[in-house]
Amino acid sequence: MAADMFHADADAIADHPLLNRARRLWETLANAPVSFASSGGPAGPAGPAVVVSPASALCPPSWAGIVVLGDAAIATAPTESAALVLRRALASVPVDSLTRPETVRAVLPVSDVLGPASLAYLSGADFRPAHPDGAVEPLASDHPDLQGLLRSAEPEDVAESGMEEITSPAFVVRVGTDVVAAAGYRTWPAETAHVCVLTHPRWRGRRLARHTSSAAVAHALAAGSLPQWRARPPASRRVARSLGFQELGRQLSIRLAVDALGGARG
């Protein structure tokens, strides 16, 4: 399970050289002054640093977002009353449990949840590039052949992949003339490259995601960017690990029940 794997690795990654870069990224995405403060260990009951940020990119609009990186966490809330609820409820929750939906549901009035998603990062020294048998071809992000893959894949898969939002070239594999797998990245703040990958369902299980994403990651590293791999499906996480990515944290978005926020002002 994702939480158990993170718990096992937390001590080892506490001083990881990528951790500060990842934390700077998510502090920027919070869209309000906040910082990761170490709890002294993954089980420490410090709770997250919670700030009010209606424009937070840690979560969808009007939701609350929680991000754990190493042994510290930050959270954003859409309103003052929601922030007060989060601070009270999460103050005694161990850091390594803050992104477990079952734990959060037990202490907060949650109406919906997105995640958790693992957050993995990669340095050039740790990169293990793939060496595909066939060619990986670069295409412009608006190339008609790439758009053909986006139209033929399931809408849920396209949305999960993020391929519609890439700002890099797309790196693709063809079968005949058809693009059946593609990867690229979207430029995020703090010189971060958010990796996006999509394989047509009929062509999964053939290592195409690894081949295309390896090319995208190499392009990002050459540009001096920090590759980020955010994933929920286990198969996607396995691809990231095969390239050398290390999971440094998790992200969870929650929608608080509106009716339960009225009493938070008291």
Side-chain angles (χ1 to χ4, degrees), residues 186-209:
R186 181 175 177 83
T187 300
W188 276 28
E191 299 181 312
T192 302
H194 181 70
V195 181
C196 306
V197 189
L198 178 65
T199 303
H200 193 282
R202 290 201 303 269
W203 294 94
R204 288 176 185 162
R206 305 177 190 225
R207 300 170 66 87
L208 300 184

Side-chain angles (χ1 to χ4, degrees), residues 80-133:
E80 290 285 358
S81 58
L84 181 57
V85 168
L86 288 178
R87 291 188 189 106
R88 288 175 174 174
L90 300 179
S92 60
V93 175
V95 171
D96 68 340
S97 296
L98 285 169
T99 53
R100 293 178 179 173
E102 65 276 15
T103 299
V104 174
R105 286 185 182 277
V107 298
L108 281 169
V110 175
S111 63
D112 205 356
V113 168
L114 287 175
S118 66
L119 300 173
Y121 300 88
L122 177 68
S123 69
D126 294 328
F127 182 35
R128 298 194 294 269
H131 300 287
D133 296 331

Side-chain angles (χ1 to χ4, degrees), residues 250-264:
R250 296 182 306 278
Q251 175 195 13
L252 183 73
S253 297
I254 56 176
R255 181 159 55 188
L256 298 172
V258 176
D259 293 345
L261 298 179

Side-chain angles (χ1 to χ4, degrees), residues 32-85:
V34 67
S35 61
F36 290 87
S38 175
S39 66
V50 181
V51 294
V52 178
S53 179
S56 170
L58 270 61
C59 53
S62 78
W63 287 48
I66 304 170
V67 173
V68 173
L69 282 166
D71 64 348
I74 61 172
T76 59
T79 63
E80 290 285 358
S81 58
L84 181 57
V85 168

